[in-house]
Amino acid sequence: MHPTRLDHWIGGEPVASHADATASLNPSEPQDVVAEVPVGTAAEVAAAVAKAAEAQRAWRAKPGPAKADALTAWAAALQSRAEELAGLIAREVGKPIAEAKGEVGRGVAILRYYAGEAVRDHGSVIPSQFPETLQFSLREPLGVVGLITPWNFPVAIPLWKAAPALAFGNAVVWKPSELSGAVASVLAETSGQAGLPAGLFNLVHGDGSTGAALAACEGVEALSFTGSARVGGLIAQACAARNAKHQTEMGGKNAGIVLEDANLTKAATLVAGGAFRYAGQKCTATSRVIVERPAMEAFLAELKRIAEALPLGPVCDPACAIGPLISDAARQRVLGALTGRDLLFGGPVPSPFEDGYFVAPTAVMVEDENDTLAQDELFGPVLAVIGADDAEHAIRLANATRYGLSASLFTQNIGNALRYIREIEVGLVRVNGDTTGVDPHAPFGGFKGSSSHTREQGPAARDFYTQVKTVQIGG
Ligand code: NAD
């Protein structure tokens, strides 16, 4: 069967593109072409931005309850296609089906949460230095907001950007990853199914060139990006050059720290889950584990036992935990990084999965904290294991990267936990927990090279998607 060629979604309807296309493949079975994804042109981006600007003028004037109703209706439309969308996520990006279902549920929760935000107070009263004067701040929308997103959370990430953008009165032009185009098209359709006013939420498919056109487009007042640090840097430059507001949420080199007094079975279970589920392809995945040396031998035995029991596929099996890497290039990158290394366990996977881009959960002992496996984001099921002399040394090692997204400490000692909470340089701090996973109503984002230092989700999203006016009214 010939794969579907995707349409953009502009002005509340599908719009055919005659641009060149790339193929989106099923990473479990790459001979299965999920869709042809057009590479949107700068003219197509500009057309979407014009539609969005027109829709935003009416939308910003709508009362908060009407905005809340629209987001609530979108949540219901998304819920009505949850099974279909979860199956498509599993097929197009190789996410195990249980996690794919969880992601769609999270998308519904995000839309409901921001429906509530649309009717909350959007400013505050500030005492004035002048008598009989009322002074207050007003939060106003920005206009048209551009969104550029990765493939790994193809529903949750676009929605945790689009929902607050819309709740606070903006319109959206979204450029999803070319590797998750089919999921993106269904998500856009659900906005139409919900009756969202035409032009408020637009989708332009494409690759990096389309993203670059969106970041450079003059009518785009702000841009929210999630993806790699390399591309985030380019987007920040493009936006700064035309003074457009921007946020970039990027990669991580997230550490689990296991102290001698930890519950080692619990630590190994959560480290294995954080490192290997979804083949380590989460920005918050645990990619280093720093272990106090006296606990090393017992911890590694538990880790190996638990990691090797995690089901690798097929992704449609509800028990599946790991799944394939997103592409052949990703698999080659991961295997290349393992070449010549002594593996504690894992590595290339033998049949029956040889056609897909699978790699077994893998751990490698790393002696030097500057080793590339301890420094660079590999985005695969590979865990660098590092020995530490004591708690202080472990925290220092955890901080010794340019990233600062997420970390977890495993200990029974409250003093060590309090010290770590104070000293660790990451935005998401866990104690006796997984480095992955986040509540959609809690702020999300990283320190150092992981983020432009803004936060997404929860009430924090309001700061990005609004601008403040300070008003004085004299008597
Ligand atoms: P990527 O940076 O390759 O691509 C992200 C998006 O940017 C895609 O839509 C892509 O088409 C687009 N793009 C590529 N080049 C561009 C350019 N020059 N100008 C504008 N847009 C461009 O990332 P990816 O491989 O899709 O996703 C994996 C990365 O995302 C990892 O680094 C991961 O850590 C990160 N990530 C971060 C978070 C977070 O919240 N911090 C969440 C998920 C993923």
Side-chain angles (χ1 to χ4, degrees):
M1 202 176 75
H2 201 267
T4 312
R5 186 184 160 95
L6 301 176
D7 293 329
H8 302 314
W9 180 269
I10 299 175
E13 59 187 9
V15 172
S17 168
H18 303 293
D20 292 343
T22 57
S24 171
L25 308 179
N26 174 345
S28 300
E29 302 166 54
Q31 65 279 14
D32 171 25
V33 181
V34 181
E36 286 179 2
V37 185
V39 180
T41 61
E44 290 170 331
V45 167
V49 171
K51 285 282 184 198
E54 193 185 323
Q56 195 262 340
R57 282 191 282 277
W59 177 248
R60 66 170 294 161
K62 279 228 190 277
K67 295 189 181 99
D69 287 348
L71 291 174
T72 305
W74 194 0
L78 183 62
Q79 180 77 64
S80 75
R81 295 181 72 178
E83 283 286 315
E84 171 199 351
L85 202 49
L88 193 55
I89 292 172
R91 179 178 167 215
E92 191 173 36
V93 301
K95 182 169 286 193
I97 190 69
E99 285 205 44
K101 286 182 181 174
E103 181 177 348
V104 180
R106 185 165 157 194
V108 172
I110 289 167
L111 286 164
R112 289 187 184 142
Y113 174 83
Y114 285 106
E117 284 291 286
V119 290
R120 251 182 274 286
D121 57 300
H122 289 168
S124 55
V125 175
I126 305 156
S128 169
Q129 60 177 316
F130 305 114
E132 298 191 10
T133 298
L134 174 62
Q135 176 167 260
F136 55 95
S137 63
L138 275 180
R139 291 219 172 233
E140 300 226 323
L142 302 167
V144 177
V145 177
L147 311 179
I148 300 178
T149 55
W151 52 268
N152 66 335
F153 285 87
V155 166
I157 292 179
L159 285 177
W160 83 47
K161 297 177 187 297
L166 297 175
F168 299 123
N170 305 284
V172 164
V173 177
W174 171 38
K175 205 300 284 176
S177 168
E178 59 276 33
L179 303 177
S180 55
V183 171
S185 277
V186 174
L187 187 59
E189 277 170 33
T190 62
S191 74
Q193 201 180 317
L196 201 70
L200 269 190
F201 180 76
N202 304 278
L203 153 65
V204 181
H205 285 291
D207 62 10
S209 66
T210 315
L214 183 60
C217 187
E218 277 301 332
V220 175
E221 304 294 346
L223 200 126
S224 180
F225 166 84
T226 297
S228 63
R230 184 189 69 80
V231 176
L234 296 173
I235 298 225
Q237 284 176 30
C239 291
R242 58 184 188 86
N243 198 30
K245 191 173 187 181
H246 56 279
Q247 67 177 180
T248 53
E249 283 302 327
M250 301 171 284
K253 195 67 202 174
N254 312 298
I257 302 174
V258 180
L259 299 186
E260 190 183 355
D261 64 13
N263 174 334
L264 292 186
T265 298
K266 178 173 182 180
T269 304
L270 291 170
V271 168
F276 304 131
R277 283 186 184 277
Y278 193 19
Q281 298 173 110
K282 301 176 189 175
C283 54
T284 49
T286 313
S287 55
R288 297 177 293 154
V289 65
I290 298 163
V291 186
E292 226 179 336
R293 285 187 223 282
M296 182 67 89
E297 193 180 336
F299 174 76
L300 285 181
E302 277 298 83
L303 183 73
K304 182 171 190 298
R305 180 182 67 77
I306 293 162
E308 290 181 346
L310 289 173
L312 196 63
V315 291
C316 57
D317 181 341
C320 174
I322 296 179
L325 289 161
I326 185 66
S327 63
D328 190 37
R331 185 169 189 271
Q332 296 309 328
R333 184 184 68 232
V334 168
L335 294 180
L338 298 178
T339 306
R341 303 270 187 174
D342 282 335
L343 308 184
L344 292 165
F345 56 82
V349 181
S351 63
F353 296 122
E354 63 190 350
D355 287 342
Y357 307 132
F358 291 85
V359 174
T362 302
V364 182
M365 186 63 81
V366 167
E367 303 296 345
D368 176 359
E369 68 193 68
N370 297 314
D371 190 308
T372 52
L373 277 186
Q375 290 295 328
D376 298 340
E377 187 187 45
L378 195 52
F379 226 53
V382 177
L383 185 64
V385 181
I386 304 169
D389 301 335
D390 52 28
E392 185 185 346
H393 184 213
I395 296 170
R396 192 183 64 68
L397 287 170
N399 284 336
T401 78
R402 62 183 173 284
Y403 292 112
L405 187 53
S406 183
S408 184
L409 174 77
F410 295 91
T411 188
Q412 305 291 324
N413 179 316
I414 188 72
N416 280 333
L418 290 172
R419 172 195 201 145
Y420 150 86
I421 292 167
R422 210 169 46 241
E423 294 181 3
I424 194 75
E425 296 163 358
V426 299
L428 303 168
V429 181
R430 306 284 158 83
V431 177
N432 295 323
D434 193 327
T435 57
T436 70
V438 64
D439 285 328
H441 47 277
F444 177 87
F447 279 27
K448 303 197 294 192
S450 289
S451 150
S452 54
H453 317 294
T454 54
R455 289 289 175 270
E456 299 199 85
Q457 305 197 61
R462 191 177 72 162
D463 292 337
F464 183 73
Y465 292 101
T466 61
Q467 53 194 338
V468 176
K469 275 182 180 161
T470 306
V471 184
Q472 277 185 1
I473 305 175

